[in-house]
Amino acid sequence: MKSVYDTIQDEIKALKAKREAVILAHNYQPGEIQDIADFVGDSLKLAQEARKTDAKVILFCGVHFMAETASILCPDKTVLVPDLQAGCSLADMVLPSDIRKWKAAHPEGVVVCYVNTSAAVKAECDYCCTSSNAEKVVSAIPAGKKILFVPDYFLGSFVKQKTGRADMELWKGYCPTHVMIQANRIEQLKKEHPEAEFVMHPECGCTTKSMHLADRVLSTEGMVRYVKESSAREFIVATETGILHRMQLDNPEKRFIPASEQAVCGYMKMNTLEKMADALENMRNEVRVPEDLARRASRCIERMMEIV
Ligand code: 13P
């Protein structure tokens, strides 16, 4: 017998064909959305897929800044989201006026923004990066240049340590979901599961304290790849719990333990199958970055795309 999910998934498939759409879903999306997506991945992979697609419509199941990036990269496509309110608290922690002030205080500084920023913030920045390429992007900036990194303090600290760039100032933003992951819980889980490998996202608030415990600090896509290739049977996973769906599907014989059951992003979970069907049926919830802003914001994104 067909479940309610099967019925709505069939409806979405029909609407997708009618609209000549592609569905992109972030690794943190609810499992039933990942299951119907054409591509599931991290911020970088989804931006690359958006750029490559021949589809007329991109239904972006993630959060607002991701859809903005797709709109900037594909101005001739219609980018829809299931829910326009699905934002990002980390991205909201820095405003364009903050960047202008920071640059005025450090006119020699090169501003690197994490992709978790609005298009308006990106328009003020020199380089964009994601968690999978931040180290590479920062390393590509000539030595001796001062770097201003926004908005994630923990990703910034991680990159600063990895690259050894002493002259790097960090904005003090953070992801409230990753803050739920605590160092003492990780230590406890490591004791309870001594054979488990421990993979961690660099946005974790405890990166600075627990990095020495991690087998790998990786982007979400990097984690998905790593757990597939590793011969370990158990993994402690320190990031938003939506990623466990894909990990478990890819590796039914392996065990995945969330570093925190509370690491659930409320914004990512605002998207539903019903809202996806509604967006495609009514061509609702378009995210379109105005041309002039898109042109200015695209500079730092294009620089990143050239580096990776
Ligand atoms: P990834 O690029 O690793 O998927 O991270 C995106 C994100 O928003 C993490 O909170």
Side-chain angles (χ1 to χ4, degrees):
M1 206 176 80
K2 273 194 165 193
S3 76
V4 66
Y5 277 159
D6 293 332
T7 311
I8 190 145
Q9 284 181 337
D10 288 348
E11 193 187 322
I12 293 168
K13 278 182 202 149
L15 286 164
K16 192 177 81 158
K18 180 175 161 194
R19 299 296 186 195
E20 297 180 58
V22 66
I23 300 177
L24 306 182
H26 188 265
N27 286 317
Y28 297 158
Q29 284 296 284
E32 64 277 11
I33 293 183
Q34 295 189 29
D35 292 345
I36 200 173
D38 295 295
F39 299 97
V40 182
D42 66 2
S43 313
L44 180 65
K45 179 174 158 186
L46 296 180
Q48 288 166 331
E49 292 299 345
R51 174 167 261 184
K52 274 198 289 203
T53 187
D54 293 329
K56 290 191 177 147
V57 172
I58 297 172
L59 178 61
F60 208 118
C61 303
V63 291
H64 196 265
F65 74 82
M66 297 179 181
E68 275 192 332
T69 306
S71 164
I72 293 165
L73 290 172
C74 323
D76 53 332
K77 312 232 180 280
T78 303
V79 180
L80 304 178
V81 292
D83 191 321
L84 280 168
Q85 301 307 315
C88 171
S89 308
L90 172 59
D92 290 342
M93 287 180 194
V94 67
L95 301 172
S97 55
D98 294 325
I99 307 281
R100 287 194 289 270
K101 272 189 225 149
W102 215 20
K103 280 201 292 196
H106 304 281
E108 75 289 9
V110 174
V111 187
V112 180
C113 65
Y114 190 27
V115 71
N116 298 42
T117 42
S118 66
V121 163
K122 288 188 179 80
E124 304 290 338
C125 298
D126 300 303
Y127 289 83
C128 183
C129 71
T130 72
S131 56
S132 66
N133 60 29
E135 202 181 320
K136 231 175 168 178
V137 169
V138 167
S139 300
I141 298 169
K145 289 260 185 205
K146 184 182 193 72
I147 296 173
L148 307 175
F149 190 91
V150 287
D152 192 273
Y153 178 80
F154 298 102
L155 173 65
S157 306
F158 172 68
V159 172
K160 187 171 173 171
Q161 203 208 55
K162 289 297 256 186
T163 58
R165 298 292 288 245
D167 204 4
M168 189 164 160
E169 302 234 352
L170 310 175
W171 196 256
K172 292 203 174 59
Y174 62 92
C175 163
T177 303
H178 282 91
V179 156
M180 304 306 283
I181 300 168
Q182 299 287 315
N184 52 3
R185 177 72 183 137
I186 290 172
E187 277 162 30
Q188 188 191 343
L189 284 170
K190 291 274 290 180
K191 277 192 203 123
E192 285 168 17
H193 305 274
E195 303 296 320
E197 282 197 311
F198 171 42
V199 289
M200 163 180 234
H201 194 278
E203 273 180 39
C204 282
C206 60
T207 328
T208 37
K209 280 193 212 139
S210 307
M211 210 160 73
H212 66 285
L213 296 174
D215 291 290
R216 291 285 187 283
V217 179
L218 296 163
S219 77
T220 58
E221 196 62 20
M223 286 185 182
V224 167
R225 216 174 306 126
Y226 180 79
V227 301
K228 212 175 196 174
E229 286 163 8
S230 166
S231 57
R233 313 285 301 168
E234 269 192 337
F235 299 85
I236 301 163
V237 182
T239 193
E240 211 272 353
T241 57
I243 199 169
L244 300 181
H245 175 79
R246 187 163 164 217
M247 287 179 168
Q248 202 61 77
L249 214 61
D250 287 354
N251 311 278
E253 72 296 354
K254 296 183 180 177
R255 181 165 178 221
F256 300 98
I257 303 149
S260 168
E261 301 271 4
Q262 278 79 48
V264 178
C265 173
Y267 282 130
M268 283 281 178
K269 304 307 192 248
M270 286 172 82
N271 297 329
T272 63
L273 292 175
E274 289 77 6
K275 290 178 189 176
M276 289 170 73
D278 179 55
L280 283 176
E281 180 158 20
N282 300 300
M283 293 299 282
R284 221 199 290 281
N285 301 343
E286 182 175 3
V287 174
R288 181 171 293 278
V289 178
E291 210 177 306
D292 178 53
L293 179 59
R295 190 180 40 76
R296 290 189 295 124
S298 73
R299 285 183 310 222
C300 70
I301 302 173
E302 292 297 346
R303 276 188 174 155
M304 168 182 80
M305 296 298 221
E306 275 165 28
I307 293 169
V308 293

